[in-house]
Amino acid sequence: MTESEKERTMLSIQDLYSFNEDQEISLNGEALDKLGGVKGVADMLRTDVDIGLPFDEAIIEERRKFYGSNTLPVPAPKSWMELFLDSFQDTTLIVLIVAALVSLVIGILEDPRKGWIEGAAILAAVIIVAAVTATNNYSKEAQFRKLNAVKDDIHVSVIRGGNVISLNIKELVAGDIVRMNAGDKVPTDGLLVDGSDVACNESALTGEPDEKSKTNKSILDGGDPFMLSGSTISSGFGRMIVTAVGAQSRWGRTKAKLASKTEDTPLQEKLDTLAGQIGKGGMSVAGATFIAIILLWLLHPESRHPDQMFFDVVLKAFILAVTIVVVAVPEGLPLAVTLSLAYSTQKMMLDNNLIRVLAACETMGNATNICSDKTGTLTQNRMTVVEGWIAGKHYRKAPTPTDMSPSLIEILANGISINTTAALLAPDSEGAKPEVMGNKTEGALLLMLLENFGVDYVTRRAEGFKAKRGDKLFTFSSARKRMTVLQKLEKDCRVYSKGAAEVMVSICTRYITSSGQIVPFDDATRANVSKVISEMASNSLRALALTHRDIPHSMIDNDPETIESEMILDAVFGIKDPLRPDVPDAVRICQEAGIFVRMVTGDNIETAKAIAKECGIFTEGGIAMEGPAFRKLTPAALDEILPKLQVLARSSPDDKHTLVSRLNGFMLPKNEEEWLVAHSGCNYAKEKELLLPGYLQEWEASRKDGSGEVVGVTGDGTNDGPALKAADVGLSMGLSGTDVAKEASDIVILDDNFSSIVKAVMWGRSVFDNIRKFLQFQLTVNVVALTLTFMSAFTGYEPPLNAVMMLWVNLIMDTMGALALGTEPPSRVLLKRRPYKRNASLISNVMWRHIIVQSLYQIFLLTYLLMVGAKDFDIAEGSTTHFTIVFNTFVFCQIFNEFNARSISNEMNVFKGLDRNPVFIGIAIFTIIGQYVLVEYGGEFVKTVGLTHSQWLMSFLLGALSLPLGGLMRLIPVTENENDFAPVSELIKMAAPKDHTRGKEEKQSNDVFSFMVWLSVCAIIPVAAWVSFGDKWMAHLEGVN
């Protein structure tokens, strides 16, 4: 075909757009009919709907160039220079710049040679602060853009070259044939080629909540073949042909008009409030300092410098006051949260946790309950048929053709092949097993069919299910616990149905014998089957029953329940899903961390209890309950058993939602109107205390402090969406989860593994602790800097720290401190403590001890240096050298206090785990180098002079005394407030005994070296300080006496 012929037969983008106008269903239908309907569009897109596009990269690339790629244009991020300029919008920096400019002008006028230095130094310091802020913001934005790119990494099932393959949605092109099931998100605009019971929720695009039924019929014939990108498949399965991708699609057009907004997390909001309070305190000190300097100048004329004018004093006092505000306003607090969250979310990706909502990262750290699915989360989701009941006989291994008649094999082969939406992908290497795409339980049956019977399911499915002739598929639902396909044959209809064994057995009236005969399902056989199902369940097997029946054409339009009655039992298969090997240990770790783990599953209660016991969830004294019994409970009765409810089996998504709502109080009806929406036709006054999930006022009254549990919930199905939304943290499954579940969740567990959830808890606790470490460090610096500056101004002394010095301290305190302490990696020790309550104070008693002791030491030390330090250092009092030593000692106090701040508990060894945090070590080294440069080469710019080796050593030792003081300080008996911790169930305490031996071995192997280093340093520093200052201190004491 020539290029001109291609252009005549290929549809243009305008042709495709003609039937894809927003909210113009009738016009779209007319335009589609003009092009020959779905078949006409497929022909003109040169796509075979059964084979798909060919495996030819050149053809795919040609289509991508012609129709566009399935990617959306990303707005260009702000450049570093734009962020740098944005930094100057901060009010305090603007005031400081104005003051610096005034100082610069006046200084030049008064002393052209040196008068410009102070103003220029302040401007230079402001520029450095702005540059660091811009760099931090640029880095933060880059990290989150990277995370957002991972969120869009979605794969779909596509037919190319006649094979089913998994393809990233970004690789889709116009003409591709995409296979979709209930729960999938439609990745592009398209037309439904064929399917069964397909319905879409298009509310994200149209705002209409009603589900839209989809068929491949014309609009004029009452059909609706239009599949819209961004909508979700709420039921059924089908295949569609891609017609519009990327920016050309409906979702692409909508998304282009949207701007993503980053909201503060709860911790950020709490810290913003605290920062505001600290800032107000700083402004008060700044105002008091300004007034004190002015009053001292006015009231003590004898102390004035002869050349000093009143305006000079006012300007100097104003600059100092503004600098105090800059130092006092702890902009480092929100920065520390942002940095810690950005760092943690990036690292959590390596632990298979994709954070969709930032708040979830910190919330997960204080989770008190985890409601976990069984399949794929606690188990490996590697389903294998290991037992079977067939024709009245129980086989202890997977059945083979020798175990049954040809007619029964035919029925089973058709039932398994046709009544499924799963597929087997060809193995990557010779000898490997095919990979299952879709439901793993269905995949186990397909693998048994392939490996034990040599049956090609693909051919049977293609020939056995034809939507065009009227075949129907009733997809699996948690309510019905089964999945059914109806074949419309010439004489009658054949129905194949499979589902939970006990449910399927209850609707069977006959069964098939080994010879292929259909006989009545007598009581003895029914009892035998029930016994086999119980045995399978007690052996942790999932029991799945296959049935069939024939019905007349007149019953085709009956409801599924009628069609699925009086079935013939073909077989019951026991499917093994091995427990993940690391799950028992992960569950035990959660219990040690004070987290109540519950299993919520749709499986038989015996299967659920067996698996729960195996992994340590179901323990002595615990309660296991089935969904039907759970639903009959009153709110008060449920509250009574909640502390012991460990397993909820045969549960529906509504049961899971009810359980979560009762635990945390979210989504409970707040008034009569909301209650009646949930309980239509019921009497609010009479039944509000009797029906689950209860109502908010009653729930709050039943809780001591009016607050509930912090709940993490796993979910993988479309119907799990409400429970995931109701949870404090919704955890969807990356491998088995539907797009609807992922959209409703806060964290995506990429490997579906419960152990990854434990890592999410550990990282969440790490974020919370890192913020507290930074807060402990910053408040100490704040208290000392503000107290020292105010006291010196009030007593008439020249403030020891000028504006440039204060800005350097601010840089150390805010940005450097946030980087050093906000990026501390987590350790398993975090999982040895209980979760904190929602309203727990950010500053604990232990932290207050640190802040008070270290602040008092630093204030005492710096007062000593100001009052008598000049004599001890043998320098002139009030000289530049004197103030340089005070400044130098103050900075070293902060460097060593930063090490102390790494511990917010009674842990003395502040060097513990230091080898795992190169950022902290790098920041400490950078700060020391920066301090050296500032002191030795700052000159008139910073108002410092170079120090001798002896002076460096002595100021270093005085600052380093913070370290041994930190050890002594922790001997003061202070503990955290018990009311800050969430209560722990007695059931958990019994289930998870502490493994003290393992902790000791771990400490001996990992912590002894760092402890010995810390101990040695703490011993050497006081000795070295005494050698340098002992005689001088003793002389001062004798002088006092």
Side-chain angles (χ1 to χ4, degrees):
M1 184 180 293
T2 65
E3 288 301 317
S4 59
E5 288 174 327
K6 285 182 183 180
E7 289 176 8
R8 283 197 302 273
T9 56
M10 283 279 281
L11 288 172
S12 66
I13 291 179
Q14 289 72 26
D15 292 330
L16 295 175
Y17 193 84
S18 68
F19 59 80
N20 200 22
E21 292 279 0
D22 293 339
Q23 305 287 49
E24 295 287 356
I25 186 79
S26 298
L27 294 176
N28 290 340
E30 292 174 10
L32 179 61
D33 289 342
K34 288 179 183 178
L35 294 171
V38 176
K39 187 179 183 306
V41 170
D43 290 341
M44 283 188 274
L45 282 173
R46 301 205 304 278
T47 298
D48 186 314
V49 294
D50 294 318
I51 298 175
L53 294 176
F55 273 120
D56 189 328
E57 191 56 40
I59 293 176
I60 300 299
E61 192 56 38
E62 179 188 345
R63 285 175 180 266
R64 192 170 285 118
K65 288 179 180 177
F66 193 75
Y67 293 112
S69 65
N70 196 33
T71 54
L72 297 174
V74 180
K78 281 190 173 183
S79 66
W80 184 90
M81 184 54 69
E82 288 175 307
L83 293 171
F84 177 69
L85 294 175
D86 286 347
S87 302
F88 291 102
Q89 294 178 9
D90 182 83
T91 307
T92 51
L93 283 186
I94 292 172
V95 172
L96 202 56
I97 290 169
V98 172
L101 289 173
V102 172
S103 173
L104 186 69
V105 172
I106 293 173
I108 291 172
L109 292 174
E110 291 182 349
D111 183 1
R113 194 171 66 86
K114 290 184 178 181
W116 60 274
I117 292 177
E118 184 172 0
I122 296 171
L123 285 175
V126 168
I127 290 170
I128 290 171
V129 170
V132 172
T133 303
T135 303
N136 285 334
N137 290 337
Y138 187 79
S139 174
K140 177 187 71 176
E141 190 170 323
Q143 286 175 323
F144 285 123
R145 288 176 75 88
K146 187 177 179 181
L147 286 172
N148 285 330
V150 177
K151 278 200 284 187
D152 296 332
D153 186 21
I154 301 168
H155 285 71
V156 291
S157 178
V158 180
I159 301 173
R160 279 192 184 173
N163 295 312
V164 178
I165 63 171
S166 177
L167 204 66
N168 190 300
I169 59 171
K170 295 175 183 176
E171 300 297 318
L172 292 174
V173 295
D176 263 324
I177 302 296
V178 180
R179 299 168 77 246
M180 293 173 298
N181 293 301
D184 289 347
K185 194 169 185 177
V186 181
T188 66
D189 290 344
L191 300 171
L192 186 67
V193 174
D194 55 40
S196 177
D197 192 32
V198 179
C200 286
N201 184 326
E202 299 175 350
S203 57
L205 288 161
T206 64
E208 298 174 15
D210 297 333
E211 293 177 354
K212 299 290 183 69
S213 180
K214 300 290 180 178
T215 68
N216 59 0
K217 293 180 181 178
S218 166
I219 293 290
L220 297 175
D221 296 330
D224 180 2
F226 299 106
M227 307 294 289
L228 307 183
S229 55
S231 63
T232 52
I233 310 293
S234 50
S235 67
F237 85 103
R239 299 184 302 153
M240 79 166 195
I241 183 169
V242 174
T243 57
V245 295
Q248 307 296 330
S249 67
R250 297 279 188 100
W251 182 241
R253 291 180 233 160
T254 303
K255 201 167 183 180
K257 301 169 188 174
L258 300 177
S260 62
K261 181 183 176 183
T262 303
E263 296 184 355
D264 283 348
T265 71
L267 184 58
Q268 283 174 319
E269 290 173 357
K270 196 183 285 188
L271 283 169
D272 284 344
T273 303
L274 181 62
Q277 293 168 346
I278 296 170
K280 288 175 183 176
M283 290 181 73
S284 301
V285 173
T289 303
F290 178 80
I291 293 169
I293 292 173
I294 300 300
L295 287 176
L296 284 169
W297 191 89
L298 293 172
L299 298 174
H300 296 279
E302 70 279 0
S303 63
R304 299 175 191 170
H305 192 279
D307 297 329
Q308 194 175 40
M309 303 296 291
F310 178 69
F311 182 78
D312 294 336
V313 176
V314 171
L315 179 62
K316 193 170 185 178
F318 179 71
I319 290 174
L320 185 62
V322 173
T323 306
I324 289 172
V325 172
V326 173
V327 174
V329 173
E331 63 270 20
L333 281 178
L335 175 63
V337 178
T338 303
L339 284 172
S340 190
L341 286 172
Y343 171 79
S344 299
T345 49
Q346 193 173 20
K347 292 293 183 182
M348 286 174 79
M349 276 292 297
L350 303 176
D351 283 337
N352 294 304
N353 285 275
L354 171 60
I355 307 301
R356 299 188 71 255
V357 178
L358 270 183
C361 182
E362 64 197 50
T363 306
M364 196 64 200
N366 289 318
T368 59
N369 276 247
I370 294 177
C371 300
S372 174
D373 283 336
K374 177 184 75 69
T375 304
T377 308
L378 300 171
T379 60
Q380 297 179 30
N381 207 13
R382 282 196 336 216
M383 305 287 191
T384 308
V385 177
V386 295
E387 289 187 24
W389 180 96
I390 300 166
K393 186 176 179 182
H394 185 191
Y395 296 91
R396 299 289 180 176
K397 58 184 180 62
T400 62
T402 58
D403 299 325
M404 59 194 80
S405 65
S407 59
L408 180 52
I409 292 174
E410 187 68 15
I411 290 172
L412 286 174
N414 282 334
I416 293 171
S417 300
I418 299 168
N419 186 24
T420 181
T421 58
L424 299 180
L425 301 181
D428 295 332
S429 58
E430 191 175 342
K433 279 193 172 187
E435 182 184 345
V436 176
M437 177 178 282
N439 186 280
K440 304 300 186 210
T441 305
E442 293 183 353
L445 295 175
L446 293 177
L447 283 169
M448 179 194 72
L449 207 60
L450 177 67
E451 295 171 356
N452 292 15
F453 295 85
V455 173
D456 177 16
Y457 80 93
V458 178
T459 306
R460 283 179 182 266
R461 181 186 292 176
E463 295 175 354
F465 185 86
K466 296 179 180 178
K468 293 177 182 177
R469 70 181 178 193
D471 292 357
K472 291 184 177 182
L473 174 71
F474 304 110
T475 52
F476 177 85
S477 77
S478 299
R480 299 189 313 118
K481 301 290 184 187
R482 56 185 175 267
M483 172 182 181
T484 301
V485 71
L486 182 150
Q487 286 181 298
K488 186 178 179 182
L489 307 176
E490 288 186 18
K491 295 181 180 180
D492 52 21
C493 298
R494 169 62 61 88
V495 177
Y496 292 105
S497 185
K498 70 170 183 285
E502 60 268 33
V503 175
M504 299 306 298
V505 167
S506 68
I507 61 174
C508 287
T509 56
R510 294 166 290 169
Y511 75 98
I512 191 166
T513 66
S514 57
S515 61
Q517 288 182 302
I518 310 296
V519 297
F521 202 9
D522 56 82
D523 291 342
T525 307
R526 189 180 295 274
N528 176 252
V529 174
S530 297
K531 181 183 176 185
V532 170
I533 293 170
S534 293
E535 283 183 20
M536 288 179 177
S538 61
N539 290 326
S540 306
L541 302 183
R542 171 176 287 186
L544 194 74
L546 275 66
T547 66
H548 83 280
R549 73 173 290 201
D550 294 324
I551 61 171
H553 287 157
S554 59
M555 290 182 65
I556 285 180
D557 294 325
N558 286 10
D559 60 86
E561 283 69 25
T562 304
I563 293 172
E564 297 163 343
S565 61
E566 299 182 7
M567 302 298 292
I568 300 165
L569 182 62
D570 301 327
V572 177
F573 293 112
I575 300 175
K576 179 75 173 176
D577 186 10
L579 192 70
R580 291 183 183 271
D582 51 355
V583 161
D585 192 48
V587 170
R588 181 187 56 75
I589 290 170
C590 278
Q591 291 167 341
E592 286 183 0
I595 301 170
F596 196 121
V597 183
R598 309 172 194 264
M599 178 195 287
V600 184
T601 177
D603 264 351
N604 174 295
I605 192 166
E606 295 301 327
T607 306
K609 286 198 294 187
I611 290 285
K613 280 182 182 177
E614 195 177 344
C615 60
I617 291 176
F618 190 45
T619 60
E620 187 178 349
I623 294 174
M625 179 178 281
E626 287 191 311
F630 175 85
R631 288 166 220 143
K632 293 177 184 177
L633 294 172
T634 64
L638 177 55
D639 284 350
E640 192 174 329
I641 68 166
L642 272 180
K644 294 185 177 181
L645 182 60
Q646 294 176 323
V647 177
L648 185 58
R650 282 285 171 241
S651 65
S652 68
D654 283 343
D655 295 335
K656 186 187 283 189
H657 183 269
T658 299
L659 175 62
V660 174
S661 299
R662 202 66 206 167
L663 284 168
N664 66 6
F666 291 179
M667 304 291 188
L668 287 175
K670 298 178 182 64
N671 49 47
E672 182 177 351
E673 184 181 350
E674 290 185 12
W675 190 91
L676 289 172
V677 170
H679 304 91
S680 180
C682 295
N683 186 307
Y684 177 73
K686 293 181 179 179
E687 297 179 279
K688 64 180 181 179
E689 305 287 346
L690 303 176
L691 299 179
L692 287 174
Y695 60 100
L696 187 61
Q697 292 86 344
E698 163 268 327
W699 180 88
E700 288 177 340
S702 67
R703 269 66 183 170
K704 289 181 181 178
D705 56 359
S707 64
E709 307 286 348
V710 178
V711 186
V713 173
T714 70
D716 56 8
T718 302
N719 292 334
D720 286 327
L724 291 169
K725 283 292 186 185
D728 294 88
V729 181
L731 303 140
S732 65
M733 301 296 106
L735 298 177
S736 60
T738 62
D739 290 338
V740 172
K742 291 174 186 174
E743 286 292 323
S745 68
D746 305 298
I747 299 176
V748 180
I749 307 300
L750 299 175
D751 61 351
D752 291 13
N753 194 339
F754 187 84
S755 296
S756 297
I757 299 173
V758 177
K759 291 173 183 174
V761 173
M762 187 169 68
W763 275 105
R765 293 189 176 189
S766 177
V767 168
F768 188 73
D769 277 15
N770 287 352
I771 301 311
R772 293 180 114 193
K773 290 172 186 177
F774 176 72
L775 192 58
Q776 181 175 259
F777 169 69
Q778 187 173 53
L779 286 179
T780 305
V781 189
N782 262 5
V783 169
V784 176
L786 297 181
T787 303
L788 190 67
T789 306
F790 174 72
M791 284 176 60
S792 61
F794 188 75
T795 55
Y797 282 91
E798 182 80 12
L801 303 179
N802 60 45
V804 178
M805 291 175 180
M806 292 280 272
L807 287 173
W808 169 240
V809 170
N810 186 59
L811 191 65
I812 296 172
M813 184 176 68
D814 280 346
T815 306
M816 299 298 135
L819 276 171
L821 296 170
T823 55
E824 285 274 352
S827 70
R828 288 281 178 180
V829 176
L830 294 171
L831 298 173
K832 297 287 183 183
R833 71 155 188 244
R834 290 169 290 163
Y836 287 108
K837 289 180 180 177
R838 296 177 190 273
N839 57 355
S841 172
L842 274 175
I843 308 174
S844 68
N845 295 339
V846 177
M847 292 169 65
W848 276 122
R849 179 187 63 189
H850 175 103
I851 294 165
I852 292 168
V853 171
Q854 291 290 341
S855 296
L856 287 175
Y857 167 69
Q858 290 186 28
I859 291 169
F860 171 79
L861 173 63
L862 297 173
T863 303
Y864 150 73
L865 288 175
L866 283 170
M867 302 292 288
V868 297
K871 181 180 179 182
D872 288 354
F873 277 84
D874 196 21
I875 54 176
E877 185 176 349
S879 64
T880 304
T881 304
H882 184 194
F883 286 141
T884 301
I885 289 172
V886 173
F887 169 54
N888 205 36
T889 305
F890 179 65
V891 169
F892 275 115
C893 281
Q894 310 325 314
I895 293 171
F896 286 101
N897 189 37
E898 202 162 25
F899 283 89
N900 278 323
R902 295 185 69 242
S903 172
I904 52 173
S905 65
N906 287 316
E907 171 64 56
M908 287 200 176
N909 180 12
V910 295
F911 290 171
K912 184 178 179 180
L914 195 59
D915 57 316
R916 297 189 297 117
N917 190 0
V919 175
F920 186 97
I921 297 170
I923 292 294
I925 294 171
F926 172 82
T927 307
I928 292 170
I929 294 172
Q931 178 66 10
Y932 179 81
V933 171
L934 225 60
V935 167
E936 294 296 320
Y937 304 104
E940 288 292 331
F941 209 71
V942 188
K943 292 196 176 352
T944 57
V945 293
L947 301 178
T948 65
H949 293 304
S950 174
Q951 290 166 345
W952 269 103
L953 178 62
M954 291 165 76
S955 54
F956 174 89
L957 287 172
L958 290 174
L961 281 171
S962 297
L963 266 184
L965 178 65
L968 292 172
M969 168 192 74
R970 289 182 173 89
L971 295 175
I972 301 172
V974 175
T975 57
E976 291 207 57
N977 188 346
E978 279 296 311
N979 292 327
D980 282 346
F981 292 103
V984 177
S985 166
E986 289 298 323
L987 212 58
I988 295 179
K989 292 177 183 176
M990 292 187 293
K994 302 291 183 182
D995 190 353
H996 296 292
T997 305
R998 191 182 64 166
K1000 287 179 182 177
E1001 290 172 354
E1002 185 179 330
K1003 183 175 181 178
Q1004 286 174 358
S1005 60
N1006 298 333
D1007 303 333
V1008 170
F1009 177 75
S1010 64
F1011 179 75
M1012 293 305 296
V1013 172
W1014 172 81
L1015 195 60
S1016 301
V1017 170
C1018 287
I1020 292 169
I1021 289 172
V1023 173
W1026 183 256
V1027 170
S1028 299
F1029 290 94
D1031 293 341
K1032 299 178 178 66
W1033 293 341
M1034 290 303 293
H1036 289 308
L1037 288 174
E1038 289 171 2
V1040 171
N1041 293 331

